[in-house]
């Protein structure tokens, strides 16, 4: 009899493991819930946004993949990220098909291309004071697709004193299957209270930093923790390489 009970327990554990492996994102959400929720599961406690910021700022962004002229091209997201500790560079994947493009410095034009045929999906003149652009807000922007490969091009007009400067930065959208899994998981999050904070926490746990930025840059209202996170992103000097200046570790005032 004792053997039968043990056998039933083993079968139950195996069945549970099989169910969880079939729904990896759902399992991940359930596993992370204790880190995000308090003792009362109906009361959402915002994650420590300083920890999200600490993880995000370790991702130093090199200048554009190609460039010329005396000025650095600094595209923050979306693009390739460099780990401050290992100095490894990784191509950045994003979930959102309406990304927010964030850069530093003054630029006169932003163009987004599809990699496979180099077709321009958006070409937008920029206000020199602008530091971000919401893709979906541009009426001429052609839609992005799951599993797509893209690059964006920042350029500045030249003069006799200052040559024209440009830089290109690539990114990829998640593949169709992973994209749909994420969409299902986010639909469950959106049905709960404090959905915005949970979405940001979810994207941060997935390491989808461009999606974290999109959430905080496009929301109509932000809780205080996310207001601070947005200010830190806007104020941090992502142009400094890991070996340049350790003082770049915290937010700095941008011109």
């Amino acid at each position: 009899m004792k053997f039968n009970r043990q056998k039933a327990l083993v079968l139950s554990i195996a069945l549970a493991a099989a169910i969880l492996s079939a729904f990896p994102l759902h399992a991940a959400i359930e596993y992370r819930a204790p880190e995000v929720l308090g003792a009362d599961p109906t009361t959402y406690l915002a994650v420590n946004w300083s920890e999200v910021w600490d993880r995000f700022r370790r991702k130093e962004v090199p200048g554009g993949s190609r460039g010329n002229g005396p000025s650095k091209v600094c595209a923050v997201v979306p693009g390739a990220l460099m780990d401050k500790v290992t100095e490894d560079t990784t191509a950045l994947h994003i979930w959102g098909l309406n990304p927010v493009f964030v850069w530093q410095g003054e630029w006169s034009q932003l163009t987004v291309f599809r990699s496979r045929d180099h077709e321009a999906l958006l070409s937008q003149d920029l206000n020199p004071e602008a530091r971000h652009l919401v893709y979906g807000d541009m009426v001429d922007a052609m839609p992005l697709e799951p599993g797509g490969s893209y690059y964006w091009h920042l350029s500045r007009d030249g003069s006799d004193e200052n040559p024209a400067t440009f830089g290109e930065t690539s990114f990829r959208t998640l593949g169709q299957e992973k994209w749909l899994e994420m969409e299902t998981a986010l639909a469950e999050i959106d049905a709960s209270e404090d959905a915005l904070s949970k979405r940001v926490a979810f994207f941060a746990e997935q390491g989808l930093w461009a999606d974290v930025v999109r959430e905080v840059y496009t929301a109509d209202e932000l809780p205080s923790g996310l207001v601070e996170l947005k200010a830190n992103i806007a104020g941090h000097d992502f142009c400094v390489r890991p070996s340049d200046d350790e003082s770049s570790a915290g937010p700095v005032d941008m011109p």
Side-chain angles (χ1 to χ4, degrees), residues 32-209:
R32 283 195 297 273
E35 301 176 13
V36 179
L37 300 178
D40 180 359
T42 64
T43 303
Y44 176 72
L45 302 178
V47 299
N48 186 339
W49 297 119
S50 64
E51 292 183 2
V52 174
W53 167 243
D54 285 342
R55 293 172 60 192
F56 183 80
R57 71 175 184 172
R58 286 184 56 170
K59 306 290 185 177
E60 300 291 334
V61 184
S65 58
R66 290 190 292 169
N68 70 316
S71 300
K72 290 185 293 186
V73 176
C74 186
V76 179
V77 291
L81 299 180
M82 177 183 291
D83 189 279
K84 186 176 180 180
V85 176
T86 66
E87 298 190 21
D88 291 335
T89 301
T90 306
L92 179 67
H93 285 75
I94 68 172
W95 175 81
L97 303 181
N98 178 30
V100 172
F101 294 87
V102 179
W103 62 89
Q104 294 178 343
E106 295 185 2
W107 301 96
S108 58
Q109 189 172 54
L110 184 152
T111 309
V112 180
F113 298 89
R114 186 168 49 216
S115 297
R116 71 170 182 265
D117 56 10
H118 306 290
E119 180 181 358
L121 306 181
L122 171 69
S123 183
Q124 181 67 35
D125 292 335
L126 300 175
N127 183 319
E129 298 181 358
R131 297 294 182 270
H132 78 277
L133 178 150
V134 181
Y135 190 76
D137 287 352
M138 304 296 106
V139 294
D140 296 330
M142 297 176 65
L144 306 183
E145 301 175 346
S149 178
Y150 306 93
Y151 62 95
W152 54 297
H153 183 177
L154 284 169
S155 61
R156 180 188 299 121
D157 297 332
S159 66
D160 292 339
E161 296 80 16
N162 298 300
T165 305
F166 71 93
E168 294 175 1
T169 304
S170 61
F171 66 96
R172 296 183 62 89
T173 52
L174 292 176
Q176 182 73 25
E177 183 177 354
K178 181 72 172 179
W179 190 91
L180 289 172
E181 289 180 359
M182 292 280 293
E183 185 179 45
T184 300
L186 288 164
E188 294 184 6
I189 292 175
D190 289 341
S192 62
E193 295 183 2
D194 298 305
L196 174 60
S197 293
K198 290 179 181 178
R199 284 174 66 94
V200 172
F202 177 71
F203 285 127
E205 287 289 335
Q206 299 289 328
L208 296 171
W209 301 111

Side-chain angles (χ1 to χ4, degrees), residues 231-249:
N232 284 344
I233 293 170
H236 185 63
D237 187 359
F238 287 97
C239 292
V240 176
R241 299 298 186 94
S243 58
D244 285 350
D245 185 357
E246 288 303 319
S247 63
S248 66

